């Protein structure tokens, strides 16, 4: 554990808190991509299978929080707030993301065991799971400020893992190329968003695409 | 330590 990893995990928790807070206070899930949320649940369920055979207080608690909160968000989106979700603007073709992640996971896992292949699948899928959400923002051309805070916090989480990996490599020669490559891709996908978030939202203007 | 790679992260 180091400060970058801890900060990354805190940003992840903050992003979930912002999302649930936004939905429950506005009683609406408008602007939130159901497809991205469903992909995140798939990511957590396939990555955290090791909950069944490994236990570490910090990691196991966080894993349960991520799976539980993700399922709760999907429950809100399919139950109480379903009327506020507009499937017509949430049209990204997620089958290509799932298919691509599955192919990469089958070709290059660290070991060909079901758990390792699913873990690798989750790493690749997470790197692109935000695309339906970004696509939705792009389609509508604007986003509520609270939604932009959510996307920022979620992006900051994996971005902060990058200095964590550099730190771990320098201090203990920890090296996990799969996580690192996927994490860098994930951060790059956010970079446009980060730029607009920084130049607009943080200066008190509305998030609108140029 | 490929076996342990990434498994102690989230």
């Amino acid at each position: 554990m180091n400060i970058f990893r801890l900060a990354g995990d805190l940003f992840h928790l903050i992003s979930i808190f912002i999302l649930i807070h936004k939905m429950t206070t506005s009683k609406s899930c408008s602007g939130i991509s159901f497809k991205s949320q469903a992909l995140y649940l798939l990511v957590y369920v396939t990555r955290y299978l090791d909950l069944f055979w490994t236990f570490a207080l910090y990691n196991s608690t966080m894993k349960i929080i991520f799976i539980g909160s993700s399922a709760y968000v999907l429950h809100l989106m399919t139950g109480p707030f379903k009327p506020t979700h507009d499937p017509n603007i949430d049209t990204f073709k997620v089958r290509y993301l799932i298919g691509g992640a599955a192919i990469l996971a089958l070709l290059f896992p660290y070991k060909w065991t079901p758990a390792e292949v699913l873990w690798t699948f989750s790493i690749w899928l997470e790197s692109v799971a935000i695309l339906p959400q970004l696509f939705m923002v792009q389609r509508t051309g604007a986003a509520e400020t609270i939604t932009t805070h959510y996307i920022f916090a979620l992006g900051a989480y994996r971005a902060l893992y990058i200095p964590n990996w550099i730190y771990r490599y320098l201090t203990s020669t920890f090296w996990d190329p799969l996580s690192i490559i996927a994490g860098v891709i994930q951060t790059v996908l956010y970079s446009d968003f980060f730029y607009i978030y920084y130049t607009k939202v943080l200066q008190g203007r509305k998030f609108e695409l140029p | 330590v490929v076996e342990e790679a990434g498994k102690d992260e989230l």
Side-chain angles (χ1 to χ4, degrees), chain A:
Chain A
M1 181 61 74
N2 58 64
I3 188 70
F4 304 111
R5 158 84 196 278
L6 185 64
D9 289 346
L10 288 179
F11 265 102
H12 196 176
L13 281 181
I14 290 168
S15 75
I16 292 166
F17 176 81
I18 293 173
L19 179 62
I20 292 177
H21 180 259
K22 173 218 155 27
M23 288 168 64
T24 50
T25 52
S26 67
K27 300 201 189 316
S28 160
C29 56
S30 69
I32 302 298
S33 165
F34 175 81
K35 290 183 172 179
S36 279
Q37 296 306 318
L39 290 181
Y40 283 118
L41 180 63
L42 186 58
V43 165
Y44 302 140
V45 169
T46 49
R47 186 177 310 163
Y48 300 152
L49 282 175
D50 66 347
L51 273 171
F52 289 111
W53 61 85
T54 50
F55 179 81
L57 185 62
Y58 177 85
N59 277 356
S60 300
T61 307
M62 295 293 245
K63 289 171 182 177
I64 290 168
I65 291 174
F66 295 151
I67 293 174
S69 58
S70 200
Y72 180 61
V73 165
L74 285 183
H75 158 73
L76 291 177
M77 295 189 85
T78 52
F81 306 147
K82 190 172 184 200
T84 61
H85 176 250
D86 182 2
N88 295 320
I89 53 168
D90 191 12
T91 53
F92 195 89
K93 298 273 185 291
V94 292
R95 70 185 84 124
Y96 298 114
L97 304 182
I98 295 174
I103 289 167
L104 286 170
L106 287 167
L107 290 178
F108 312 110
Y110 285 131
K111 277 185 291 186
W112 274 281
T113 63
E116 283 288 327
V117 170
L118 285 172
W119 180 86
T120 312
F121 169 77
S122 82
I123 292 288
W124 287 117
L125 188 62
E126 188 194 4
S127 73
V128 292
I130 197 62
L131 284 177
Q133 178 67 62
L134 292 178
F135 185 67
M136 193 168 171
V137 169
Q138 199 184 40
R139 268 196 80 159
T140 51
E144 287 176 66
T145 304
I146 187 107
T147 305
T148 65
H149 292 329
Y150 161 69
I151 300 172
F152 172 80
L154 195 58
Y157 138 65
R158 218 56 177 180
L160 279 161
Y161 263 56
I162 294 173
N164 157 58
W165 291 319
I166 295 170
Y167 179 89
R168 292 188 70 182
Y169 178 73
L170 295 175
T171 54
S172 63
T173 64
F174 168 90
W175 178 245
D176 174 8
L178 265 176
S179 292
I180 295 172
I181 297 167
V184 169
I185 292 173
Q186 186 168 347
T187 304
V188 167
L189 291 182
Y190 279 89
S191 55
D192 261 8
F193 172 86
F194 283 151
Y195 178 74
I196 298 170
Y197 181 82
Y198 176 75
T199 54
K200 291 211 168 170
V201 180
L202 290 187
Q203 284 158 27
R205 286 187 284 157
K206 222 166 133 19
F207 184 93
E208 272 172 18
L209 293 174

